[in-house]
Amino acid sequence: MPDNAPKPGVYVWDAPTRLFHWSIVVLIFVSWLSADQGYMKVHLWSGLTLLVLLLFRIGWGFAGATTARFSNFLHSPGRVMAYVKTVLGGERQLHAGHNPAGGLMVAVLLLALLAQALTGLVANDGLKFSGPLALQVSVDQSDQLTQIHGAIFNFMLVLIWLHLVAIGFYLLVKGENLVGPMVTGKKHHAHVPEGVALVFTRPVIALALLALSAACAAWILL
Amino acid sequence: MSRAKGYLPAWLYLACVVLVTGLGIAGAMALRPAFANSVKEFFGLQAAPVAAPSSFYLTRVAPLFEAHCASCHGERRQKAALRLDSVAFALRGGRHGAVIQPGDVKNSELMHRITLPPSDDRAMPPEGKTPLSPDDVTVIRLWIAGGASPAMLATAIKGAPRLVREVAIPTLDAEAARRQRQVLAPDVERLSRRYPGLLTYESRNSAGLELNAALSGHAFGDEDLKAFTPLFSRLVRLDLSNTAVTDASARLLAAMPSLRSVRLTNSKAGDDVIAALASLKSLKSLTVTGSKISQQALSQLRSHGVVIYGDGDAR
Amino acid sequence: MAMSDMHSPFVERCKLEADNRRQFLSWGMGGLGAFFLNAAMAAPAPKPGASALQIKRDPSTPLTPLPPPFAPKARRVIYLHMGGSPSQLDLFDYKPELIKYNGRDCPDALLKGKRFAFITGIPKLMGTLFPFHQTGKSGAWMSDRLPHLEKHIDDLCIIKSMRTDQFNHAPAQLLMQTGDARVGHASLGSWVSYGLGTQNQNLPGFIVMISSTSTVANAGKPLWGSGFLPSVYQGVQCRAAGEPVLYLDNPKGVSRAQRRQVLDAVDEINRDTYRQFGNPETVARIAQYEMAYRMQMEASDAMDISREPKQVLARYGAEPGKTSFANNCLVARRLAERGVRFIQLYHWGWDSHGTPVDQGVNVGLADNCRATDQATAALLADLKSSGLLEDTLVVWGGEFGRTPMQENRGGQEMKYIGRDHHPQAFSIWLAGGGIKGGMSHGATDDLGYEVVRDPVEVRDLHASMLYLLGFDYRSFSYPYQGLDQKLTGVKPARIVSDILA
């Protein structure tokens, strides 16, 4: 990565958010592979972990670092459209965290993942395996939701493709590396607007939130 | 706002995306034949096979798939992404590839699964579902061995077990029956109270009525039969054995268009009643044992195709 | 139930002081009160599964006729059970190959892994002892042992591929009659009474008659018992000679009017008990008293075959006053005419092991045929001529078949010729009530050992019978012990479509 300026990068992504992001990547892959190859126990656990992490992320979206908060990157459709037009026109807008389009992507992905995890709780594979809450619904409902679980998966494949295309676009066409910052937390200073005040919540709050999410998940299941 | 500075112009990038995506899909198609078929059909490159009307598949194999497999491998559910509710889907296969290798029984996963011992976890149909009989398995084996063709005629395959007709048990539609019964229900109620035990519905599925006056014996006469007039249109069976009903009721019997079976064992009915019955289109059987009926009257009914029991010689 | 068994005067008084019951219970009479309460807790009405057929009736009239779910072909059943099991190889299943092997050692392949009731070592194959010929429009094969029945061959459907998994009498009979080889299940007749009620309320809906020279049916009364169904649906065993049911008539000096008064009083007390404790058996008991009362008038008349003209008696070979299969057949016809739903005849004596001379295939079987053939044929003829056969399902058969090998009990050659029990294949026939006549269904191998074509399990036969009566065997159930109990059991059954007209 060419880094022209001697100035250090700006710390924009906090650790919990980054950990969350890459954990999700791994977990989605594990869920996909385990379902495909029939290791349903693994699938169950990766799905449950995903659910806990999602609950955490939702909480973190209100109580976490500035760039992680929903208020920071969720914008009106009009704003998103305007941003997209700007970018396609070759212009650049600087954002500390997610840009509006990215923010929309994040929201859609999170919702899709959440729907996937929730439908997975009641899904069944017709033989020996069913989700932990499958008995709470009728057989027909479980079957329908299993179908939806499958459909959302296809939808997610498209979303992930879109996500990768967008990341690639930024990297190759616009020269803005988005992957590095999600790993190290630091964005190149040229890509960060000047004078932005970022608040970083204490890690202990993240841990507390994680514990709370785990407890919520346990409560749902038991 | 500064000018974006990247490595590739946008159009080149898009071209790369299209290329990579195309390669990805091609790869997926190679790895997952089921996906390959879906893609080909989507682009109209491949027509989904359709079973010919008198084909062995449609007459012998499809009913088996429908009865034993389609509940989990059909429209409602597609376990392992496999559908068996049409020959196209069956040949296409599922998540792990084709389950039918045309002409090759040994390597057809479907054959393997349906011939596993029932105790095996992977045996199909799974425990709890109606199993395939040995004859059913033979039929499927013959089809696959013969090339798993959607078109090959039933007559072209030799040695298939005899086709056994499955009985379709009528489903109970109580609501429909109730609606049909509604019109005459008050009369049925009233007459049932007045003549307890004589009147029953033919079945829960129908509004047809059966009148078993034989249970009352001689106490049941012409006037009593007349009392049932409101229900005549719905009477399907009438038993007047051992009753006091005479030819005076002949007119009444002519007003029972749905009547299918009449019993006149040891009754006081005579030729007039028989003549009245001759006008009934749905009458199928008549018993006249012990009643005094002439042979001409009976032969007229016989010519209508009515089965007659007894010879009409009163003893 | 325990209530009536408690003879303590204190408890009796408490029962009568109904108004003080609450007081009594609220005193908390320790164990006694708790026991009282425990016994009083009537079982809540069982809830059937969602797809089960709902049978709703007024519990005080448990046998009122009910329409079946869909239009039936049969409206009553006459089941002629040939206890001991007749030898199909000497009556219906013609095996010319077996005759060629007569006297030869039985091949190992037929013996390996099989369990026999009495055969040990290597028995000899035995062909039929009687000449077979083809008869009727359908060219059916029959031996010469049943000349009267032969006249009706075109009305019969002979199933040659019946199979069972029980090789001894009691469990096999239970399987045939109740759908399960163990005691405790409801019999065919009970199921039919439960589902259809009966037309004539003055007679039981399910009547059983036994004609036997020595033994009664091995499995005893459970064969016509109601199992888990309310006891009012059990078979009533009637005698063809003397009083149809013992102690049916009033005792000397008690008039019918007095009997009525007694019944009314007992009725009132029973109804009160029912109001208090809600046990459906109480209502069944009331219904049975009422039934017995009504039966006093009609049963004696129905069972009295001396009222039949002489030529009818001659056709059946019936002799009033004696116990015989012929008498029972004639009574069966009279009961069918009077609206009884399920009539069952048991005739023991077909167990041709060859141990005593009268149980040999050459002697005993011939005797039994002579004892039953004429009456069976007369019954069929009468049913047909009176138009009843059209909607009466007649079933004839045993509980398993007999071996193609000669029995060699203890490995010895036996004095008399016999065959051992053979569950793998046997023959029964059906007639009337929606059955296609003049045909045979299924086939066994050349030696008559295994079924090779169209096997019919006992539950398949039951499913087919229920279908002809207008029931779906899958949804016709009764909840008991957490399961929707079905006549056909838990294994999937098949309606034998080929035998349906």
Side-chain angles (χ1 to χ4, degrees), chain A residues 37-213:
Chain A
Q37 295 301 312
Y39 299 111
M40 295 317 280
K41 250 199 157 144
V42 174
H43 188 76
L44 172 66
W45 281 108
S46 72
L48 286 174
T49 314
L50 262 167
L51 183 62
V52 169
L53 286 176
L54 283 168
L55 290 172
F56 160 76
R57 181 66 182 90
I58 291 171
W60 196 239
F62 293 103
T66 314
T67 48
R69 292 200 185 184
F70 296 133
S71 50
N72 180 261
F73 57 81
L74 289 182
H75 300 281
S76 68
R79 178 98 166 77
V80 175
M81 282 305 301
Y83 172 76
V84 170
K85 279 203 203 110
T86 327
V87 165
L88 291 180
E91 306 255 321
R92 172 182 286 175
Q93 254 186 41
L94 297 180
H95 294 272
H98 292 301
N99 61 58
L104 181 63
M105 173 104 269
V106 168
V108 175
L109 267 170
L110 281 179
L111 284 172
L113 270 170
L114 191 63
Q116 188 70 336
L118 291 175
T119 52
L121 285 175
V122 295
N124 72 83
D125 76 347
L127 291 176
K128 296 246 165 95
F129 180 78
S130 60
L133 295 181
L135 291 174
Q136 309 298 330
V137 293
S138 76
V139 174
D140 280 340
Q141 284 170 330
S142 178
D143 286 338
Q144 275 176 338
L145 289 165
T146 308
Q147 295 234 64
I148 295 176
H149 192 72
I152 296 179
F153 170 69
N154 292 332
F155 178 57
M156 265 181 24
L157 281 180
V158 173
L159 285 180
I160 292 171
W161 173 81
L162 199 60
H163 184 57
L164 294 175
V165 167
I167 302 291
F169 177 76
Y170 271 80
L171 178 62
L172 297 174
V173 181
K174 296 191 62 187
E176 187 176 330
N177 183 8
L178 295 173
V179 182
M182 192 44 85
V183 175
T184 62
K186 298 203 180 118
K187 259 195 194 175
H188 192 265
H189 71 95
H191 298 147
V192 180
E194 296 284 339
V196 163
L198 296 174
V199 175
F200 292 96
T201 321
R202 291 204 310 274
V204 64
I205 304 224
L207 284 168
L209 209 51
L210 190 62
L212 185 62
S213 311

Side-chain angles (χ1 to χ4, degrees), chain C residues 327-347:
Chain C
N327 285 16
N328 290 350
C329 278
L330 188 46
V331 172
R333 191 210 83 198
R334 290 170 67 83
L335 292 174
E337 285 165 355
R338 283 160 177 74
V340 176
R341 190 68 80 182
F342 201 102
I343 303 150
Q344 190 150 46
L345 267 47
Y346 283 91
H347 186 77

Side-chain angles (χ1 to χ4, degrees), chain C residues 406-417:
Chain C
Q406 183 176 359
E407 176 159 331
N408 61 347
R409 197 169 286 209
Q412 314 286 347
E413 193 174 310
M414 291 164 70
K415 197 162 165 196
Y416 306 105
I417 303 173

